[in-house]
Amino acid sequence: MADAARAARMAQRIRVIVAESIRKVIREEVIENLTVTDARVTRDLQNATVYYTVFGTDADKAEVAELLAKNTGRLRKEVGRNITARLTPTLAFVADEVPVNANLVEDLLRVAKEKDAAVAALAEGKEYAGEADPYKHDDEDDQDDAEGR
């Protein structure tokens, strides 16, 4: 077993190698929309997972996934040439869902901000039904004790 720091260094090196090699190995126009976002290597340095995003339509995403699956062996060969390890890790390509999830969270936050603004607009110019602060505070207890209540 390798330590976690070595696995992390190897993962970063694999990410760079794969990102550079994709354009050499796969000569398709749709690859121009591909970005390698991250790579993870298991602690035994046998398997690497490469995360990627594709900007474009769902058809472009499917085509890129197919091209990566078809050319995994050629990309692994490039990785093997450029790392100094006894064994070349197997490569698995996974579409990165972080940008999609981030957009969903941003949309939810925007809707919440709009609703907060609507509530603030309704509350403007309104008065409290009772006191502005209906809670009893510690300094009031001291006054009640001083007055004998």
Side-chain angles (χ1 to χ4, degrees), residues 34-53:
L34 174 78
T35 303
V36 176
T37 56
D38 195 16
R40 305 262 169 92
V41 176
T42 56
R43 289 193 61 186
D44 62 358
L45 307 178
Q46 297 294 310
N47 302 305
T49 305
V50 179
Y51 296 93
Y52 67 92
T53 58

Side-chain angles (χ1 to χ4, degrees), residues 106-127:
E106 286 179 11
D107 290 343
L108 290 172
L109 289 173
R110 182 183 41 76
V111 168
K113 188 175 181 179
E114 290 171 359
K115 288 184 178 182
D116 285 348
V119 168
L122 286 172
E124 191 163 324
K126 306 293 183 188
E127 295 181 15

Side-chain angles (χ1 to χ4, degrees), residues 18-27 31-35:
V18 169
E20 292 173 352
S21 299
I22 281 177
R23 286 170 185 38
K24 288 191 298 187
V25 172
I26 306 172
R27 292 189 174 107
I31 291 298
E32 296 301 319
N33 297 329
L34 174 78
T35 303

